[in-house]
Amino acid sequence: MRNVVNRQDGEPMPKDVMDFFRASAGRWFSQRNSHHPAGRRFEGGRSELEITPLAPEDGRVAEICRLYRFEAAGVAGAVLVEWKGTIDRDSKTHTGRTILVVVPDAQDPAQGSILQDKPATEPLPARYRVGDDDVLTLSTTSNQGESEERLWFASPNLRLRTAIVRYPDGTRVTTFCSEVRRAEAAASKGERSQSQTTD
Amino acid sequence: MRNVVNRQDGEPMPKDVMDFFRASAGRWFSQRNSHHPAGRRFEGGRSELEITPLAPEDGRVAEICRLYRFEAAGVAGAVLVEWKGTIDRDSKTHTGRTILVVVPDAQDPAQGSILQDKPATEPLPARYRVGDDDVLTLSTTSNQGESEERLWFASPNLRLRTAIVRYPDGTRVTTFCSEVRRAEAAASKGERSQSQTTD
């Protein structure tokens, strides 16, 4: 894997969805704001994220493919995302983890399917697309609503993310996250520095 | 001008920078949040925006071209942006207006220059680019910092906007705006409805 922490501004940004996830590997501090346009409400929050790319051969990947009835041979890679966060005006800490499996379209690897473990209801794959401006767009449809998420790197150590979710009752919520990479001082998790890198 | 208010979801989104500004014509309610990653601070705000496309022949357009020493013949169009807004924890109302003049590159009209009236210091044009995902990216460089803004339509009546500004001292601020179109009940400004459309 490339040492993305040491990439400099001006170097080419990731062009491929697995490049994108490899560039996302590591720990991030995420600031989040959601807008509820109808009610004119804001909601803020903060999270710690840890993103770990997984090899196509990982056992969890094959299991998720079976759930969606996808051929494991088409998998380009996968990524484990773990988070721990808080929402303003709520003292509870929310934690979670998910695995995303990437299956590029045979005809056009700039787009394809994303299989997520623990699907909400029926296992319906999400879709991804990498634009010529290096923005990764993820689209999900389920009976709980539709979401469109866009992610891009402002620099190797600053990732931006927006999401719009439309619920079946017509309401919608837009969310913005600024994600700053954590410096990793040592190889072991226990010794990781809490300081932030600059970009 | 097309009646963008009545466009439906699923219709093609604007492909060209002037299409983009024409689709933006009208009044918008904008919710804004800024993140100051280093200080972990949030700042929220709300604005009313009014966006009015201008013809290339408008007298103000020729004047701005002279300021930047650009040929008026290359102008594709222009847009007048007016705003009135508030920032959380500040009772003052901030108002302003600016004109943006669009000069596509001769070789590739998907990108080009943006000339803004009242330039901060020397008249240095901004750059724009419309991606294959219909995101409009605006990049500005001056001795007061660098900014990159991305704008796109989640639907004809919901415009999303992100900006990242890097200051010469190394600090940076990221901003997200959700912009909801105001319904316009009548032709005259005075009779405009205050209600919001749904998308």
Side-chain angles (χ1 to χ4, degrees), chain A:
Chain A
M1 202 181 79
R2 285 183 296 173
N3 185 347
V4 292
V5 176
N6 292 331
R7 287 166 63 203
Q8 298 297 312
D9 274 2
E11 284 190 43
M13 292 281 114
K15 285 286 177 197
D16 166 280
V17 62
M18 283 309 302
D19 279 344
F20 194 96
F21 286 134
R22 280 187 286 265
S24 303
R27 292 184 66 220
W28 299 82
F29 169 67
S30 177
Q31 285 178 296
R32 183 178 69 253
N33 276 98
S34 296
H35 297 170
H36 304 253
R40 298 191 169 203
R41 285 189 300 118
F42 284 159
E43 187 180 87
R46 288 161 180 78
S47 303
E48 297 287 337
L49 281 184
E50 179 146 14
I51 300 176
T52 311
L54 304 178
E57 299 74 27
D58 191 288
R60 294 166 286 185
V61 171
E63 196 177 314
I64 295 167
C65 285
R66 272 196 297 278
L67 184 67
Y68 284 82
R69 299 174 192 277
F70 266 62
E71 293 278 359
V75 171
V79 67
L80 167 66
V81 183
E82 297 167 283
W83 63 90
K84 186 171 74 179
T86 56
I87 302 172
D88 290 355
R89 294 180 285 265
D90 176 359
S91 58
K92 210 178 139 199
T93 299
H94 301 262
T95 61
R97 53 187 286 157
T98 190
I99 292 174
L100 306 174
V101 175
V102 176
V103 186
D105 288 354
Q107 308 82 351
D108 179 7
Q111 53 187 347
S113 298
I114 297 270
L115 318 180
Q116 187 169 7
D117 66 337
K118 306 173 204 151
T121 46
E122 50 173 342
L124 196 65
R127 293 289 299 170
Y128 77 82
R129 181 159 175 271
V130 183
D132 61 0
D133 49 7
D134 302 331
V135 176
L136 172 62
T137 302
L138 302 178
S139 309
T140 313
T141 305
S142 79
N143 58 6
Q144 295 176 23
E146 278 175 35
S147 80
E148 187 176 82
E149 196 170 357
R150 287 178 189 256
L151 302 94
W152 68 98
F153 286 89
S155 77
N157 297 322
L158 177 62
R159 202 174 83 143
L160 303 181
R161 190 149 62 104
T162 66
I164 169 159
V165 181
R166 291 183 175 82
Y167 295 99
D169 66 0
T171 59
R172 60 176 184 228
V173 176
T174 60
T175 299
F176 177 56
C177 301
S178 295
E179 303 182 329
V180 182
R181 185 185 294 280
R182 295 290 206 183
E184 303 199 25
S188 92
K189 280 197 180 192
E191 288 166 9
R192 273 179 182 157
S193 158
Q194 290 298 311
S195 67
Q196 289 175 24
T197 56
T198 57
D199 69 331

Side-chain angles (χ1 to χ4, degrees), chain A residues 35-41 170-172, chain B residues 5 27-31 46-49 156-159 178-185 192-199:
Chain A
H35 297 170
H36 304 253
R40 298 191 169 203
R41 285 189 300 118
T171 59
R172 60 176 184 228
Chain B
V5 177
R27 293 184 64 221
W28 299 82
F29 168 67
S30 177
Q31 284 179 294
R46 288 160 180 80
S47 303
E48 297 286 338
L49 281 184
N157 297 322
L158 178 61
R159 201 173 84 144
S178 294
E179 303 181 329
V180 182
R181 184 185 293 281
R182 296 292 205 182
E184 302 199 26
R192 274 179 181 158
S193 158
Q194 290 298 312
S195 68
Q196 289 176 23
T197 56
T198 57
D199 70 329

